[in-house]
Amino acid sequence: MRSPRFRWATAALAAALVLGCSSAERKLEAATALRHAGDPRGALAGYQQLLADLGEGRLGKADAEVRWKALKFAGDVSYLELGDYQSALAYYRRIISLHPGGPEAHEARGRLGDIFRDRYGDHLAAITQYADVAGSDSPDAPRYQLEVAREYLALKRWEQARTEARILREKWPTHELADEAQLLTAQSWALERRDEEALGAFQALVDRRSRPDVKARALEAQAQIHAQSGDLDRALELYALALPGHPNPDAIRTNIEAVRERRARAGTARPGDRAAAFDKGSAKPAPREGP
């Protein structure tokens, strides 16, 4: 049975589109009400009708803004609620053609990049969209510069990933994402199995005034490298340092226990290690080892 909210939204859309007695803005509101009432297909039909009424040509400021919103909402409904990615791409591309270089186009390019990356696995196509925003005057440019670096990392193009991360750090040195770019640089060295360079890049985050969570993630990564190389004592020390500021302390405790078990199997376990001391003071202490 249809809810009162749905019936109201349907009636509003009918009044706006069939009777023709409402402005473009009212028609937009009526279609959006259908979306909020749980009828994305009905909402999309309303947006499509509104777009047909407004046409392709030049519009006044108010109607141009309504058309942009109708295109954006139609793209969002197609992408997020109906899974019609090809239609979503078409709506976002139309925004770009109508608002070249504007904030509307930057937002649309971000959506295009997300679809190429998440739905089609096309990292190069995503890079094209993200790079356009990264090279603009958009306030989101640093975020998309980081996305470009991440996409090259996903492609295992390590040197290019580091180059893109360096661009972010040099262009926006005080931005909060500069630390993320340095973290990505270190991760690229680690994935390339160049441990010495990776450890140095992670240490740069530890030494400077990075956010506590970023510093903790860098310490965690260093610990993982040492654990993989068999230096279990050093790994435990670094995990212990990472624990207080890490965004996922349970994961750190799990890693600590795994390394302890490896060390115990190797016959090198000893009581009173530094990691154990941290566990005793934590909110969720790890199980104590036996005597």
Side-chain angles (χ1 to χ4, degrees):
M1 184 176 181
R2 300 294 191 183
S3 68
R5 185 178 183 183
F6 179 88
R7 292 195 297 271
W8 173 85
T10 304
L13 185 63
L17 300 181
V18 178
L19 299 179
C21 61
S22 297
S23 67
E25 188 173 355
R26 288 290 299 277
K27 293 176 184 178
L28 179 71
E29 292 173 355
T32 302
L34 279 179
R35 183 185 181 189
H36 292 163
D39 183 12
R41 294 189 183 279
L44 182 59
Y47 297 136
Q48 289 171 334
Q49 182 61 60
L50 175 55
L51 290 168
D53 293 344
L54 291 171
E56 299 280 348
R58 295 178 65 87
L59 298 172
K61 182 177 179 181
D63 282 346
E65 184 174 358
V66 168
R67 181 170 62 186
W68 160 63
K69 288 181 179 180
L71 286 167
K72 177 182 182 299
F73 296 159
D76 291 350
V77 167
S78 299
Y79 170 30
L80 301 172
E81 297 172 49
L82 299 178
D84 185 352
Y85 308 126
Q86 287 298 321
S87 292
L89 292 175
Y91 287 121
Y92 296 135
R93 283 171 172 149
R94 190 174 170 198
I95 291 174
I96 293 169
S97 69
L98 289 170
H99 303 272
E104 301 90 349
H106 297 154
E107 182 181 9
R109 286 192 183 278
R111 289 291 204 199
L112 288 175
D114 292 348
I115 293 174
F116 285 129
R117 178 193 63 194
D118 299 335
R119 304 303 177 181
Y120 294 114
D122 190 338
H123 298 288
L124 289 175
I127 287 170
T128 298
Q129 301 302 324
Y130 294 150
D132 189 279
V133 185
S136 73
D137 60 357
S138 169
D140 291 327
R143 177 165 71 90
Y144 284 104
Q145 182 63 40
L146 184 62
E147 292 298 339
V148 170
R150 284 171 172 164
E151 291 308 293
Y152 279 117
L153 193 71
L155 290 168
K156 299 182 180 180
R157 292 173 59 173
W158 317 122
E159 187 60 36
Q160 190 63 41
R162 290 191 286 270
T163 296
E164 300 297 339
R166 184 175 66 251
I167 290 172
L168 193 160
R169 297 197 310 273
E170 292 177 351
K171 195 171 182 180
W172 299 281
T174 61
H175 196 280
E176 62 180 356
L177 292 180
D179 282 348
E180 293 289 343
Q182 177 65 22
L183 191 64
L184 184 145
T185 295
Q187 290 166 342
S188 74
W189 288 120
L191 290 168
E192 200 175 354
R193 299 189 182 281
R194 296 175 63 172
D195 291 352
E196 184 176 348
E197 291 91 341
L199 288 170
F202 284 124
Q203 189 62 38
L205 282 168
V206 174
D207 291 341
R208 70 190 193 191
R209 294 181 178 179
S210 304
R211 295 196 320 267
D213 64 303
V214 173
K215 183 176 180 178
R217 287 156 62 197
L219 288 165
E220 175 193 22
Q222 287 183 318
Q224 290 171 343
I225 292 173
H226 284 290
Q228 289 167 0
S229 68
D231 189 350
L232 304 184
D233 289 343
R234 180 58 175 157
L236 285 172
E237 290 176 4
L238 290 166
Y239 277 133
L241 291 172
L243 184 59
H246 200 278
N248 187 359
D250 286 342
I252 299 299
R253 295 186 185 98
T254 297
N255 289 339
I256 287 173
E257 289 304 308
V259 173
R260 282 178 180 162
E261 290 174 5
R262 284 181 58 192
R263 195 177 66 175
R265 287 196 299 269
T268 59
R270 63 178 184 270
D273 62 51
R274 192 172 181 181
F278 267 89
D279 284 348
K280 290 176 182 178
S282 63
K284 294 182 178 180
R288 296 183 60 183
E289 297 179 14

